[in-house]
Amino acid sequence: MKKKLDIPYIILFLIVSMGAVIMFIPYLWMVLSSLKGNHEILSGATNIFPQKITLEGYKTVLNDAPFIRWLINSLISSTLITLATLFTSALAGYIFAKFKFRGQKLSFILILATMMVPFQVIMIPRYLIVSDLGLINNLFALIIPNLISGFGIFLAKQFIESIPNDLIEAARIDGAGEFRTFWSLIVPQIKPALSAVGIFTFMAAWNDYLWPLIVLNDLDKMTVPLALVFFNGQHLVNYNVVMSAGVLIMIPVVIVFLVFQRQFIKGMTMTGMK
């Protein structure tokens, strides 16, 4: 027998659906505006759909700027940051979850504290360190400061704590070293958590605007979020071009989420908070 939905659940479903539609409207508006001419947008017309579909905005983005070069820069930096964060988060989470050492709680508290500090507080010290290392106008200025994530370590630790210690002891008895135990036993079981960390990290690195704006001045070293500034004129903004660039910037993030969405949802729902 099929269970009937109660009225409160129907109301909750409608509220959530309305919220989803409201959140989706800006993205739909951006996509449709990218298909309009700039004169149509500046005319103040309230039409959601374009009166005449044009791809001039996309042609300008791809032809009048090194957008492909910026896209490659963003892919390289975001991918390397994500891979490094996944490795350090899983390894540190394993150590904090399954090992006992002096200063363990204090170390973990300090790692969590880094999540509470606004970026603006550490922006100047980080810039001075990167400058002293000679990494200004270098993609490593984006990668090196983001190799470790407090959020990633926290999420991995919470997930690894649910793995029975008997499995780890059995692997040690069979002669597996600690790193082999970590790589062959722990990592396969925390893929959902790593997927969640990976998506969050990739999205944050891909959409980061302020830090690349500070450390990247060379046109060939810029990342795609900086493209939105490049296409803003001093006296006139080509809104259709900016919208087109926004759509192109959004596509890789959407693809990553669609590929890993099941693991992402599983990781967020299975991770216990202790």
Side-chain angles (χ1 to χ4, degrees):
M1 295 179 63
K2 295 183 178 180
K3 185 178 179 181
K4 293 183 179 180
L5 289 175
D6 296 332
I7 297 300
Y9 287 102
I10 296 176
I11 296 176
L12 181 61
F13 174 78
L14 293 176
I15 294 175
V16 172
S17 300
M18 290 176 59
V21 170
I22 293 173
M23 293 179 63
F24 181 72
I25 287 177
Y27 300 98
L28 178 62
W29 187 279
M30 179 174 64
V31 174
L32 295 176
S33 296
S34 69
L35 300 175
K36 297 179 180 179
N38 197 48
H39 63 281
E40 181 180 347
I41 299 176
L42 293 176
S43 67
T46 58
N47 297 330
I48 297 178
F49 296 95
Q51 297 175 357
K52 181 180 179 181
I53 296 178
T54 176
L55 298 178
E56 289 300 323
Y58 292 97
K59 293 179 181 179
T60 302
V61 171
L62 297 176
N63 296 330
D64 294 357
F67 189 82
I68 301 300
R69 178 71 249 179
W70 299 340
L71 187 68
I72 293 174
N73 291 340
S74 290
L75 284 174
I76 292 174
S77 60
S78 300
T79 301
L80 291 179
I81 289 172
T82 301
L83 293 176
T85 299
L86 290 178
F87 177 75
T88 55
S89 297
L91 186 60
Y94 175 53
I95 293 173
F96 279 110
K98 298 300 181 182
F99 290 86
K100 301 295 181 181
F101 54 91
R102 181 177 298 179
Q104 179 184 19
K105 291 185 178 181
L106 178 61
S107 300
F108 189 66
I109 291 174
L110 291 176
I111 290 175
L112 294 182
T114 62
M115 299 167 56
M116 318 288 181
V117 180
F119 172 74
Q120 289 78 2
V121 175
I122 63 172
M123 182 171 59
I124 295 178
R126 177 186 282 191
Y127 175 82
L128 294 176
I129 294 173
V130 169
S131 179
D132 291 340
L133 294 175
L135 297 178
I136 299 299
N137 278 326
N138 193 310
L139 290 181
F140 283 105
L142 306 180
I143 298 170
I144 293 178
N146 295 297
L147 295 179
I148 300 176
S149 167
F151 171 76
I153 295 174
F154 170 74
L155 202 64
K157 173 183 176 295
Q158 297 298 112
F159 206 97
I160 294 174
E161 283 183 341
S162 64
I163 299 176
N165 293 329
D166 294 341
L167 293 177
I168 300 176
E169 293 298 332
R172 292 170 179 169
I173 292 174
D174 289 339
E178 291 299 339
F179 188 79
R180 184 178 178 184
T181 300
F182 163 75
W183 189 256
S184 301
L185 179 63
I186 302 298
V187 172
Q189 296 192 59
I190 63 172
K191 284 183 179 180
L194 294 181
S195 297
V197 173
I199 290 177
F200 275 122
T201 304
F202 185 86
M203 291 176 62
W206 184 269
N207 296 323
D208 190 13
Y209 171 77
L210 181 58
W211 181 240
L213 180 65
I214 294 173
V215 297
L216 300 177
N217 300 318
D218 192 346
L219 190 64
D220 291 334
K221 299 295 177 62
M222 292 168 61
T223 55
V224 285
L226 300 180
L228 300 179
V229 176
F230 179 85
F231 292 114
N232 283 335
Q234 183 177 2
H235 303 290
L236 178 66
V237 177
N238 293 323
Y239 290 102
N240 62 330
V241 177
V242 174
M243 295 296 179
S244 300
V247 172
L248 294 176
I249 293 170
M250 183 177 62
I251 290 175
V253 177
V254 174
I255 293 175
V256 169
F257 179 77
L258 291 178
V259 172
F260 296 102
Q261 62 172 327
R262 290 186 179 180
Q263 294 290 332
F264 172 77
I265 296 173
K266 184 178 179 181
M268 296 304 296
T269 55
M270 292 181 60
T271 302
M273 300 298 177
K274 296 183 179 181

